[in-house]
Amino acid sequence: MQIVFLNTFEKPTEEQEIVSAQLSISESQGIWSVHWMEGEDESGSPHTWFEGTSWEEMIVAFRHGIARVMGEGYVPVIDGMLDDRRPSSGSFVTMLQCYGEHNHNPDLFQKLREWRRATASAEKRSAYLVATNRMLWMISTFIPKSEDELSQIPGWGSAKQAAYGADMLAIMEETERETVFPLQWVTEKLDTGIYTQWLYKQKEAKYKTQMDRQLVKKHILATVHEGGSLEQLGSELELSRRELMDRIEQLEQEGYDMDSLISRELHAVSEDEQILVWEALSQVGDKYLKPVLQQVYGTTEASQLDKPVDVLYERLRLIRLRFRRSLASKAV
């Protein structure tokens, strides 16, 4: 086994002592491994963060682990393990987000969540599109009382102001506040240690998302290779068909061949129908599928279609994958 990277981390304790740990990347016969060893006793068992053949997956696991342990207080002896490691590398927006997350009014936050739930239900859209938790934390911390103050909340732009501004200000009228606008005072009042750990937690979450996507990617490729279906993948990964098609299209863009899956999914679609879709893609373009749907099936009214609209859109997306691959091969 060849060690290709080694670094020591240190963490001060409440007793003013220093706890050390070592992080290493090793390679043996094409197998990468990332190990974390706490303490000075090398005879102990290291924690394995990753073991496998993929360099890309190894790096993501490596960065995720670093973000986690640095969030726990470990500092590398050799600096530069993660970009933007110091709190000074953050931004005013992230400072507001961190302060809001740690200082929000729980009762007001709950009231805002209830408003968001009712609004999302009335508009038939996802709650996070109305407002994210992060935005509601900031609003319930800083309690804006005017349109100008609302506009100082990161993410609250003109569209949200037009749609929800009056509702939001009405909710704010019922709550007193002790802070003031503008919010530049946050840079002085925000605890540096809390902010540092918060930044690491954001990185940890980011790399965890990347790790999860890598696992989903491996699962999709393995299932496609074994002859699986979209229905099987959706059930195993707990993804909607639309989300799953997004992943399939992304894999196609990355150069993976999804044609065996496409053939299986389009097996029940007549050749004549596929030709009509192909001709429509050639005539109206492949960027937007609604014009293709209208040209092939004559209407977008669900009640007048033989198949549900989402099923037809899935067919169009599958045929579009082949269409785009054909265009790309001609361009070479």
Side-chain angles (χ1 to χ4, degrees), residues 98-311:
C98 174
Y99 191 90
E101 189 170 328
H102 286 86
N103 297 277
H104 65 277
N105 180 321
D107 293 336
L108 180 55
F109 176 69
Q110 184 59 35
K111 188 178 296 185
L112 291 173
R113 288 186 65 197
E114 292 170 359
W115 163 82
R116 179 180 63 181
R117 186 183 304 113
T119 301
S121 176
E123 296 181 354
K124 293 185 169 68
R125 61 193 311 215
S126 298
Y128 76 91
L129 294 176
V130 175
T132 62
N133 278 343
R134 181 165 287 170
M135 180 177 291
L136 298 187
W137 278 326
M138 288 188 287
I139 291 174
S140 62
T141 298
F142 303 119
I143 312 177
K145 299 282 190 177
S146 67
E147 289 187 10
D148 177 64
E149 291 178 352
L150 259 178
S151 69
Q152 296 178 50
I153 302 297
W156 190 274
S158 57
K160 288 195 184 297
Q161 180 59 44
Y164 312 124
D167 288 348
M168 190 60 64
L169 293 177
I171 296 173
M172 294 302 106
E173 284 181 359
E174 304 172 10
T175 306
E176 295 183 0
R177 73 181 186 201
E178 298 178 357
T179 57
V180 297
F181 281 79
L183 303 173
Q184 274 67 26
W185 53 267
V186 171
T187 60
E188 298 294 330
K189 192 168 183 180
L190 180 60
D191 181 89
T192 301
I194 290 176
Y195 182 46
T196 300
Q197 291 191 343
W198 185 87
L199 286 175
Y200 295 150
K201 287 298 180 183
Q202 307 316 300
K203 289 184 177 293
E204 181 183 348
K206 168 188 171 183
Y207 294 127
K208 178 63 167 60
T209 299
Q210 292 181 7
M211 289 172 64
D212 290 343
R213 290 189 69 87
Q214 288 284 356
L215 291 174
V216 170
K217 175 180 175 179
K218 288 179 66 175
H219 190 100
I220 291 175
L221 292 175
T223 302
V224 170
H225 178 72
E226 294 166 1
S229 65
L230 286 175
E231 183 176 357
Q232 176 187 345
L233 283 168
S235 175
E236 293 172 349
L237 297 173
E238 297 183 349
L239 293 174
S240 69
R241 295 290 282 249
R242 183 170 183 174
E243 291 173 318
L244 192 52
M245 280 304 305
D246 289 342
R247 302 294 180 93
I248 298 297
E249 289 183 344
Q250 180 61 42
L251 289 172
E252 270 277 341
Q253 292 175 11
E254 293 175 9
Y256 293 95
D257 187 358
M258 296 287 111
D259 198 58
S260 62
L261 175 68
I262 296 171
S263 295
R264 289 192 293 274
E265 296 298 323
L266 293 177
H267 178 72
V269 182
S270 71
E271 184 176 350
D272 289 342
E273 183 177 342
Q274 293 189 49
I275 291 173
L276 287 174
V277 173
W278 193 282
E279 291 176 347
L281 289 167
S282 301
Q283 293 169 11
V284 304
D286 64 355
K287 185 174 182 180
Y288 301 108
L289 289 178
K290 187 173 182 179
V292 178
L293 182 75
Q294 291 174 325
Q295 180 162 322
V296 174
Y297 302 105
T299 180
T300 57
E301 294 296 327
S303 61
Q304 300 179 35
L305 293 170
D306 294 334
K307 296 285 185 180
V309 175
D310 56 343
V311 172

